[in-house]
């Protein structure tokens, strides 16, 4: 049986594999189910927990702005998180929580099949490359497989707390837009 994203969403509602489910609401990813590009954050925050949707709070507003700068709407891309529940008081997710929630992210990636994955911040980057630091790797495309490139970028919330990172995010999104365009022109002609 082939599982779909809406079916995954339903299954997550009754899943009890991560203790965070006792204090928070499940938040799966959302967006274009066939998106070429997928953004992955850390974990839902307060607004995301309340509305059951990823990146709808202040960091999400900034992400929307960054997407618009490279010509995308939210509905063009797929947006998700490593951890599917808000950690209490927005603390960092633990390694255990990340490992418990990992199968959901893997299923989302397998269903959407993005060509470019953008980990937003160190937690999402760690899912793909445990040894890379976001400080060193941001803005630099990394080949994951023949079909998939990982393009790490700082988490948009980091720029809301640290003004110096804002320019870095703007620069990295510009580089991401250029990278996506260069991939289009490299596509084989029939
Ligand atoms: N920060 C995240 O990492 N994910 C969200 O969904 C919102 C804020």
């Amino acid at each position: 049986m082939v599982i779909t994203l809406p079916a995954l969403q339903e299954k997550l509602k009754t899943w009890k594999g991560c203790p965070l489910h006792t204090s928070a609401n499940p938040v799966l990813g959302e967006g274009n189910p066939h998106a070429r590009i997928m953004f992955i954050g850390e974990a839902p925050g307060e607004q995301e927990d309340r509305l059951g949707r990823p990146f709808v709070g202040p960091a999400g507003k900034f992400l929307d702005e960054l997407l618009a700068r490279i010509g995308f709407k939210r509905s063009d891309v797929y947006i998700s998180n490593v951890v599917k529940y808000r950690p209490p008081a927005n603390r960092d997710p633990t390694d255990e929580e990340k490992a418990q929630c990992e199968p959901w992210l893997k299923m989302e990636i397998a269903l959407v099949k993005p060509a470019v994955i953008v980990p937003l911040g160190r937690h999402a980057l760690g899912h793909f490359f445990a040894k890379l630091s976001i400080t060193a790797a941001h803005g630099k495309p990394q080949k994951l497989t023949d079909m998939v490139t990982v393009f790490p970028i700082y988490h948009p919330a980091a720029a809301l707390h640290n003004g110096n990172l804002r320019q870095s995010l703007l620069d990295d999104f510009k580089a991401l837009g250029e990278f996506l365009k260069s991939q289009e022109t490299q596509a084989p002609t029939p």
Side-chain angles (χ1 to χ4, degrees):
M1 196 189 76
V2 180
I3 192 147
T4 60
L5 286 167
L8 216 57
Q9 180 110 37
E10 280 310 301
K11 270 182 175 284
L12 181 61
K13 287 183 188 160
T14 55
W15 182 65
K16 299 193 175 7
C18 172
L20 290 175
H21 84 270
T22 58
S23 59
N25 294 309
V27 181
L28 196 75
E30 68 173 27
N32 181 344
H34 309 294
R36 186 174 155 228
I37 176 160
M38 179 164 174
F39 292 82
I40 304 173
E42 174 182 327
E46 187 182 1
Q47 306 267 2
E48 289 78 17
D49 178 54
R50 203 165 53 79
L51 298 172
R53 296 177 54 207
F55 280 98
V56 288
K61 299 273 171 309
F62 187 31
L63 179 59
D64 289 350
E65 189 188 317
L66 291 164
L67 285 172
R69 280 175 176 255
I70 57 167
F72 286 103
K73 298 188 293 293
R74 275 179 82 97
S75 53
D76 296 324
V77 304
Y78 191 86
I79 303 176
S80 194
N81 281 302
V82 175
V83 169
K84 302 309 185 198
Y85 302 90
R86 179 192 184 202
N90 293 349
R91 64 155 168 74
D92 277 0
T94 64
D95 287 347
E96 220 174 11
E97 289 157 359
K98 287 189 272 188
Q100 285 156 346
C101 289
E102 190 168 61
W104 295 97
L105 181 60
K106 284 192 167 160
M107 285 188 274
E108 290 178 284
I109 295 172
L111 286 169
V112 177
K113 299 188 187 65
V116 180
I117 296 177
V118 181
L120 297 167
R122 66 191 168 95
H123 294 283
L125 176 60
H127 174 80
F128 300 97
F129 298 102
K131 296 209 172 100
L132 279 188
S133 86
I134 190 72
T135 316
H138 74 92
K140 299 184 188 131
Q142 320 278 333
K143 190 170 161 162
L144 186 67
T145 67
D146 282 348
M147 308 293 288
V148 183
T149 301
V150 169
F151 197 111
I153 293 187
Y154 282 119
H155 195 292
L160 300 177
H161 304 303
N162 173 352
N164 295 335
L165 289 185
R166 186 180 161 86
Q167 191 56 47
S168 176
L169 266 145
L170 297 180
D171 293 346
D172 287 353
F173 261 78
K174 187 160 178 273
L176 173 64
E178 283 160 9
F179 175 75
L180 291 169
K181 281 214 180 80
S182 75
Q183 295 295 100
E184 274 164 27
T185 54
Q186 272 174 32
T189 41

